[in-house]
Amino acid sequence: MGSSSNWKELAERKRESVLSLIPPEWRIENPPSAKDRPDVAGDYIRKFLTAQESEITETDAVGIAAKTTTGVWKAVDVTRAFCHRAALAAQLLNCLAEIFFDAGLARARALDEHLVTHGKPVGPLHGVPISLKDQFHVKGVETCMGYVGWIGTFQGAKNTGKERNFESEMVKMLSASGAVLYCKTSVPHTLMSPETSNNITGYCPNPRNRAHISSGGSSGGEGALIHARGSCLGFGTDIGGSIRIPAGFNGLYGVKPSSGRLPYQGMANSIDGQNTVVSVVGPLATTPGSLRLVMKSILAREPWLHDPAVVELPWREEHEILPGKLAFGVINHDGVVTPHPPVRRAIITLVDVLRKHGHTCFDWNPPEECGYNKLIQVGIKAFTFDGGHDPFAQFALSEEPVSCPQVANLLGEAPVEQKNAGFIAETNVERREVLKGFMEYWNGTGGSGGVRGDGDGIPSSQPSRKRNAHGDAVPKNDTTTTANGDGIDPATGITQTSRPVDAIICPIAPWAAATIGGNKYLSYTLWVNALDYTVVIVPVTRCDRGLDVRDEGFEGTGEFDREMMGLYDPEKYHGLPVALQLVGRRFQEEKMVAVAEYVGALLKGEGLGL
């Protein structure tokens, strides 16, 4: 497409063309630098808004839908408020890849007219603004996915007839449900990075600390935009943590569903066709009720009739009914990298709240043959099947360089030999056996038998001496939070609910949010992708420099662990949200959203949460 002499020009033109779509009256005169104004969430961004715009944009999707479907709020007013706030966020955070405010406002006016004319809304999302990660194809809008070489093309190809004329199935279903689409959010090129940077939009920092902290990736633009309340609800994708990391770093709720639950058909992707560990699409939002609203709306459109990969599984309200007492496994440490003090405190806090309300919590220690290292190894193998040929081919279209250090580390300097069919088949068999072992370990917590580990197959009710990838015992470092066997029968290793555990509590990362350039460890999220289990993200607390002090004399599991702990600075982290993963089993989206809502309510009842 281009040469090394013009990729910068192409990227600059694209960036300017997008930002030029911000109305003059919404532009910030002399935006402050990240150093001068690190925190632009909340009060700072509100000063550019009217009282009504602040009220609208700080209402969740459920509250908005209740008013737009009944005419209390006009869809056009709601859309204009979110467009304004998104425009402000774009100027401060580099979070928007595409702007189509005019189309969104036109759609909102049409929805208002429909409500007046017909006396009923178009659908359950009538007038709700929804943002989309720049993998979704929307008619009239380009999809670059962070690649300079995709500018003016359809996924890098010219003259296909699909340029700005093709829509992803999810987009069609959102529109049919009454949603208003108005922007797409920035991603790291290749999507294979837990931070968000590309040569078009630049780096997307965290709204709470632009100078030092990342918004995460690869759905980092979504995370930052919703954190800044330029959106109340958006969609990202996840193959190694790309919904969960931005949701957690930005204090949001999010769902990584199992593959085949929501439609991915017609979306752009990297290494498309790799089906061992599959990318999934899911929502990020400010409340768990918003997650439920949008997932129910999509499933009501019967996506299995339009995406051959979607399972015929409508939303099951009966699965939202939770038992009176729940059981949780708890992962305190993966045996390699020790969570930072705020993350450890978040686990302690959540476990204490759950136990206070009569729920079971105990250490989760699957045997080595089906444990985290095995699952992560499977994931890494799957990500490297193609030897980097697909991403390097996209970079070659414009001869742009790699802008994300994590992508550069993963891909190396050039493509390598692709794996053959035999290797891929072996990996699939290996994954199947590991999944079987993990499944039976989970089953065993309910008394139905299971694999043996830790000597007797019983989930340990005492602090485990976990081992890292080199086989070394992990020092305690006060990381164990479930020191007693609450809820576990020590004689049988079975939960006192007599059911298998309902969910696993786990860090999203060793840190509450990564420092810029410091998100170098994905193992706390990747193992779940290898399982294809459902996960929700729940904000628990905020970093507190008075409570979350440095670990003096920290030794950890080795040099890498000490390096990662060295990234923690109580001052830089102060006030940042801390969230955790709640991991359920496959296709348990209804149950896990209900668990997230219940846990969030418990935390708020204790004066916690966000």
Side-chain angles (χ1 to χ4, degrees), residues 76-263:
V76 70
D77 292 334
V78 171
T79 300
R80 186 179 294 108
F82 276 102
C83 288
H84 187 186
R85 196 153 181 164
L88 297 170
Q91 297 169 76
L92 298 165
L93 301 167
N94 302 326
C95 58
L96 296 192
E98 298 289 343
I99 287 173
F100 41 106
F101 297 158
D102 287 348
L105 288 165
R107 163 72 166 166
R109 291 188 193 97
L111 289 169
D112 286 334
E113 291 172 6
H114 181 278
L115 190 62
V116 170
T117 302
H118 299 281
K120 62 180 181 180
V122 167
L125 300 176
H126 182 104
V128 177
I130 294 180
S131 51
L132 302 170
K133 185 177 184 177
D134 192 28
Q135 287 180 256
F136 290 84
H137 292 294
V138 179
K139 281 186 180 179
V141 183
E142 199 160 65
T143 300
C144 292
M145 213 173 77
Y147 287 121
V148 175
W150 283 23
I151 297 171
T153 74
F154 180 78
Q155 298 182 184
K158 294 183 177 181
N159 303 316
T160 66
K162 293 183 177 180
E163 294 86 347
R164 298 176 180 261
N165 194 39
F166 178 82
E167 284 199 323
S168 307
E169 289 299 328
M170 178 79 84
V171 170
K172 297 175 185 176
M173 293 175 192
L174 289 170
S175 296
S177 301
V180 176
L181 309 178
Y182 63 111
C183 65
K184 292 203 291 178
T185 51
S186 55
V187 301
H189 46 204
T190 76
L191 309 176
M192 300 162 70
S193 171
E195 297 183 52
T196 296
S197 176
N198 63 65
N199 291 316
I200 301 171
T201 58
Y203 189 89
C204 181
N206 193 296
R208 192 63 63 179
N209 187 341
R210 296 187 299 157
H212 302 106
I213 303 297
S214 170
S215 64
S218 62
S219 309
E222 277 299 318
L225 180 66
I226 302 173
H227 189 163
R229 299 303 188 260
S231 172
C232 61
L233 169 64
F235 275 92
T237 60
D238 192 313
I239 194 173
S242 290
I243 289 171
R244 291 163 288 157
I245 292 168
F249 287 10
N250 289 283
L252 307 173
Y253 289 87
V255 175
K256 184 210 81 65
S258 294
S259 61
R261 194 71 203 270
L262 295 178

Side-chain angles (χ1 to χ4, degrees), residues 165 317 549:
N165 194 39
E317 292 187 355
V549 298

Side-chain angles (χ1 to χ4, degrees), residues 321-586:
I321 302 171
L322 301 177
K325 299 300 178 184
L326 298 169
F328 296 87
V330 183
I331 298 172
N332 304 287
H333 193 307
D334 71 347
V336 181
V337 176
T338 305
H340 285 181
V343 178
R344 300 204 303 266
R345 181 169 60 84
I347 297 173
I348 292 170
T349 298
L350 180 54
V351 167
D352 285 348
V353 168
L354 289 169
R355 285 180 170 163
K356 178 180 178 180
H357 290 270
H359 303 297
T360 295
C361 296
F362 66 96
D363 291 332
W364 185 262
N365 296 312
E368 184 177 349
E369 61 265 26
C370 63
Y372 316 120
N373 285 341
K374 283 286 188 181
L375 290 162
I376 290 160
Q377 288 167 15
V378 168
I380 292 171
K381 286 180 182 179
F383 295 166
T384 55
F385 281 162
D386 96 321
H389 285 258
D390 173 57
F392 275 110
Q394 311 314 319
F395 288 129
L397 293 171
S398 66
E399 299 185 21
E400 65 174 310
V402 177
S403 71
C404 305
Q406 294 92 341
V407 173
N409 290 338
L410 178 66
L411 296 179
E413 296 182 357
V416 297
E417 184 178 359
Q418 299 185 48
K419 299 300 189 289
N420 60 32
F423 181 88
I424 294 170
E426 288 173 5
T427 303
N428 289 336
V429 171
E430 178 187 5
R431 175 177 178 265
R432 187 175 68 219
E433 292 304 310
V434 175
L435 265 59
K436 170 64 172 172
F438 197 95
M439 175 186 290
E440 295 299 349
Y441 175 78
W442 191 309
N443 292 340
T445 64
S448 60
V451 297
R452 294 292 178 184
D454 293 334
D456 59 6
I458 298 174
S460 173
S461 63
Q462 299 296 327
S464 62
R465 296 293 284 166
K466 297 184 181 181
R467 297 185 179 274
N468 63 21
H470 306 290
D472 302 319
V474 178
K476 290 182 180 178
N477 286 308
D478 296 325
T479 61
T480 301
T481 62
T482 54
N484 66 56
D486 175 38
I488 287 290
D489 184 333
T492 64
I494 297 170
T495 67
Q496 291 181 4
T497 66
S498 297
R499 300 187 326 274
V501 296
D502 295 286
I504 304 168
I505 298 168
C506 176
I508 299 165
W511 27 78
T515 54
I516 291 174
N519 211 9
K520 301 177 182 179
Y521 192 72
L522 292 178
S523 293
Y524 280 102
T525 50
L526 178 54
W527 66 275
V528 190
N529 294 88
L531 288 166
D532 193 29
Y533 281 10
T534 303
V535 191
V536 290
I537 299 302
V538 176
V540 175
T541 187
R542 290 191 182 275
C543 299
D544 187 320
R545 59 188 166 222
L547 298 174
D548 305 316
V549 298
R550 292 180 189 270
D551 291 333
E552 298 298 334
F554 178 79
E555 294 182 3
T557 64
E559 184 177 348
F560 182 69
D561 193 13
R562 289 190 289 274
E563 178 189 347
M564 295 300 96
M565 186 59 72
L567 297 172
Y568 178 61
D569 182 332
E571 294 299 324
K572 291 178 181 176
Y573 274 85
H574 183 70
L576 288 172
V578 191
L580 297 172
Q581 298 184 92
L582 298 182
V583 182
R585 305 182 90 164
R586 289 191 74 214

